Amino acid sequence: MLYELYEWNHAVLAPFRAVADATKALYQNPLNPIAHTEMGRTVAAMAELFERTTRVYGKPAFDIHDTFVDGMRVPVVDKPVWEKPFATLLHFERELRKGRASDPTFLIVAPMSGHYATLLRGTVEALLPYGEVYITDWHDARTVPLSEGRFDLDTYVDYVIEMLRFLGPSVNVVGVCQPAVPVMMATARMEEDEDPCAPATMTLMGGPIDTRVNPTAVNKLAEDRGIDWFRDNVIMKVPFPQPGFMREVYPGFLQLTGFMSMNLDRHLIAHKDFFWHLVKNDGDGAEKHRAFYDEYNAVMDLTAEFYLQTVEEVFIKHSLPKGTITHHGHRLDMGKIRRTALLTVEGENDDISGVGQTRAAHDLCRNIPDEKRVHYLQPKVGHYGVFNGSRFRAEIAPRIVDFALTHGHRAEARAPVAAEAKGEQTLVPPEALEGAPLGEEAAASALALAGASVSEGHAATHGPHDLPATDVLSAGVVLPAPAEGEATGKPAGASILTKALSKVKRPS
């Protein structure tokens, strides 16, 4: 009934939102003399604030229209190239000159965790200058008819395998947060089957591989509540007249309510500030607020079977590190992964996937040669900073590109370059993480278990400490890149390419 009440409430408010829109347009019209007065701006601000707080936010656009390749600006168009009921594979097609050597192919597996794949806009932008980038664009479960069947963790793995086969050999797969587990499962299944399309490299970033290591508040909450609590309290059926009518889901609006309630006072302050920005005609401050909350408030439903299976297998049973994880009943052995090179990335202050949880992949993938495995701990970032923000662009993205060039695409053609770099490590080997500092452990909502984050505009809009790290599953702290010569915590021995890329500043 709660979902039906939510939909009914939205429908009842529709005419009031229309009146608010009309009022805003009237009092912002430059031909209206009152629009240039404080009273006019106040009325327009009230109307906009009402409309935005009662709106159901749609899926944001990626809005990536160009990038820089070889020092030149080139157009970019995101095109769907593969589609199934629950996902579309998007290709960010770059308009490159003919005859140019091909670049590495990156498959970014976005989290299916309440927010849309656009959350990884910054990840895509950072990799576009150096490779062909594809991303999994997951569909809102309430838009998928019940006749299309179920979507659980096994189906998720099926989708990843099919996408890798569609893209062909030598793909560099990147699993961000929650997808780290299904990406490992898919790779293990393909390696066991000796599939030629198994990825050349596998990059896992801030993923919950083994949540027994440095458990966070989110991890502890899952174990304390148990799977029955989640099944009884957060699973609902999609109401009529949505296309997914009668499908059991974990509703997006319920997730958003949980996000908001954790720090309601801070969100109220943010909206009050937004109102006064409008009254004072501070367009820059108001636009930052709009950009942040347009992404923050855009949420999607998850299928109940996927959400519950993920919570149970990953956070409660710890099936992957215990070696009991299965794919359609077939037990998967991560030791089967031999050919795929492994890069793991963690954030020093990550309080969603604690330090060491992603690194655990190296222990599980025991048969990958040492020269094909790398772990990197990024100082001074939280969960969000692992895949977005200035430190991601300056410190992490160059390592991902370097790793793909070293162990994946066209490795045989780079022999002369490797010879020049003789004596230097390509990347830094795994280091001991004992004693690494953890982020603040604040109370986390049960609705935050699937894994998500927020847009980079948060830091500019609210300041880096306005919300604790656990809000929206850790906004993290996005800090500026260090000045030349400043200590960064970057380990010595990075390759020539990494050193060069880390100094490249993306043109505005």
Side-chain angles (χ1 to χ4, degrees):
M1 282 300 296
L2 184 58
Y3 206 149
E4 285 82 354
L5 182 61
Y6 167 79
E7 290 286 292
W8 177 83
N9 182 68
H10 176 62
V12 167
L13 289 174
F16 297 95
R17 285 194 301 275
V19 172
D21 271 336
T23 302
K24 175 189 168 185
L26 174 63
Y27 282 90
Q28 287 185 339
N29 191 323
L31 299 179
N32 182 356
I34 301 178
H36 305 285
T37 67
E38 184 173 332
M39 185 190 78
R41 292 194 297 270
T42 301
V43 174
M46 289 189 295
E48 180 171 354
L49 193 59
F50 173 81
E51 192 278 328
R52 290 186 63 84
T53 54
T54 58
R55 179 198 307 176
V56 173
Y57 287 76
K59 178 183 175 182
F62 275 97
D63 283 332
I64 300 175
H65 304 295
D66 54 59
T67 189
F68 282 82
V69 179
D70 301 333
M72 298 180 62
R73 187 189 296 270
V74 298
V76 174
V77 178
D78 55 288
K79 294 183 177 179
V81 294
W82 178 97
E83 188 166 7
K84 280 208 150 186
F86 291 92
T88 297
L89 182 62
L90 291 181
H91 177 211
F92 292 87
E93 187 176 285
R94 306 170 299 169
E95 191 176 303
L96 303 175
R97 68 177 186 275
K98 294 182 179 180
R100 183 182 178 278
S102 60
D103 288 326
T105 297
F106 294 97
L107 170 60
I108 302 175
V109 184
M112 179 183 274
S113 54
H115 284 90
Y116 291 92
T118 51
L119 200 68
L120 303 188
R121 186 184 292 106
T123 315
V124 173
E125 288 179 320
L127 297 179
L128 267 177
Y130 313 110
E132 295 295 335
V133 180
Y134 297 79
I135 193 169
T136 57
D137 189 16
W138 302 109
H139 299 168
D140 187 343
R142 78 184 206 149
T143 67
V144 183
L146 197 58
S147 59
E148 296 291 354
R150 291 166 48 87
F151 184 93
D152 57 11
L153 186 58
D154 291 333
T155 316
Y156 194 121
V157 174
D158 292 339
Y159 273 38
V160 174
I161 292 174
E162 289 185 39
M163 291 176 191
L164 288 168
R165 288 173 177 165
F166 173 81
L167 296 175
S170 300
V171 172
N172 304 281
V173 65
V174 180
V176 181
C177 190
Q178 165 263 321
V181 172
V183 164
M184 273 192 72
M185 293 171 63
T187 304
R189 188 65 191 255
M190 296 179 80
E191 286 268 47
E192 182 178 352
D193 295 342
E194 298 185 356
D195 194 317
C197 293
T201 70
M202 175 173 59
T203 299
L204 308 178
M205 306 169 65
I209 300 300
D210 188 350
T211 58
R212 299 172 300 177
V213 180
N214 285 327
T216 65
V218 174
N219 307 149
K220 293 174 182 176
L221 183 64
E223 290 190 330
D224 293 343
R225 295 291 189 181
I227 194 63
D228 289 335
W229 185 91
F230 293 99
R231 184 180 292 108
D232 296 339
N233 289 277
V234 304
I235 301 304
M236 302 177 186
K237 291 186 177 180
V238 177
F240 182 83
Q242 299 299 330
F245 174 55
M246 292 301 290
R247 179 179 294 281
E248 288 194 330
V249 296
Y250 174 28
F253 79 88
L254 204 57
Q255 300 174 65
L256 184 59
T257 301
F259 298 159
M260 288 284 191
S261 62
M262 283 191 294
N263 294 280
L264 185 59
D265 56 334
R266 299 178 186 272
H267 291 291
L268 291 174
I269 292 171
H271 282 77
K272 181 196 72 174
D273 292 342
F274 172 62
F275 174 81
W276 287 114
H277 284 316
L278 293 173
V279 173
K280 295 175 182 178
N281 206 23
D282 180 1
D284 187 54
E287 191 53 42
K288 288 177 181 178
H289 176 97
R290 292 189 189 101
F292 170 69
Y293 278 99
D294 283 353
E295 190 84 47
Y296 185 102
N297 293 330
V299 289
M300 55 183 281
D301 293 0
L302 310 180
T303 63
E305 57 271 19
F306 168 76
Y307 177 75
L308 293 174
Q309 189 178 0
T310 299
V311 171
E312 185 171 25
E313 298 295 334
V314 176
F315 295 96
I316 298 177
K317 290 184 176 180
H318 313 290
S319 298
L320 183 62
K322 288 181 178 179
T324 59
I325 197 80
T326 62
H327 177 235
H328 294 300
H330 175 78
R331 180 173 292 189
L332 298 177
D333 179 7
M334 299 303 117
K336 299 292 184 181
I337 304 177
R338 296 183 174 88
R339 297 172 297 162
T340 301
L342 173 63
L343 168 63
T344 54
V345 180
E346 295 181 330
E348 181 184 41
N349 301 323
D350 192 337
D351 66 343
I352 299 304
S353 296
V355 173
Q357 292 186 8
T358 310
R359 186 187 184 279
H362 290 279
D363 298 327
L364 299 177
C365 300
R366 56 192 178 277
N367 291 321
I368 297 178
D370 289 342
E371 64 271 15
K372 296 180 69 174
R373 59 169 75 232
V374 174
H375 176 73
Y376 178 63
L377 176 66
Q378 175 61 50
K380 301 180 181 180
V381 300
H383 190 67
Y384 174 77
V386 171
F387 56 89
N388 245 322
S390 59
R391 289 192 182 272
F392 168 77
R393 292 190 295 270
E395 301 286 336
I396 298 175
R399 284 176 160 81
I400 297 174
V401 175
D402 191 3
F403 194 73
L405 290 172
T406 303
H407 299 289
H409 176 79
R410 296 171 59 84
E412 70 286 349
R414 294 190 305 280
V417 177
E420 291 179 15
K422 187 177 180 181
E424 293 206 30
Q425 301 174 21
T426 300
L427 281 174
V428 186
E431 299 176 348
L433 297 177
E434 287 77 6
L438 287 172
E440 173 194 18
E441 282 197 7
S445 166
L447 310 180
L449 278 172
S453 207
V454 296
S455 69
E456 187 174 2
H458 172 271
T461 308
H462 306 295
H465 302 294
D466 276 2
L467 297 175
T470 46
D471 191 50
V472 199
L473 298 183
S474 178
V477 179
V478 182
L479 299 176
E484 187 69 28
E486 180 183 346
T488 62
K490 182 179 178 179
S495 72
I496 293 172
L497 178 60
T498 297
K499 291 178 180 178
L501 288 176
S502 66
K503 295 180 181 179
V504 174
K505 290 187 178 179
R506 189 170 174 272
S508 58

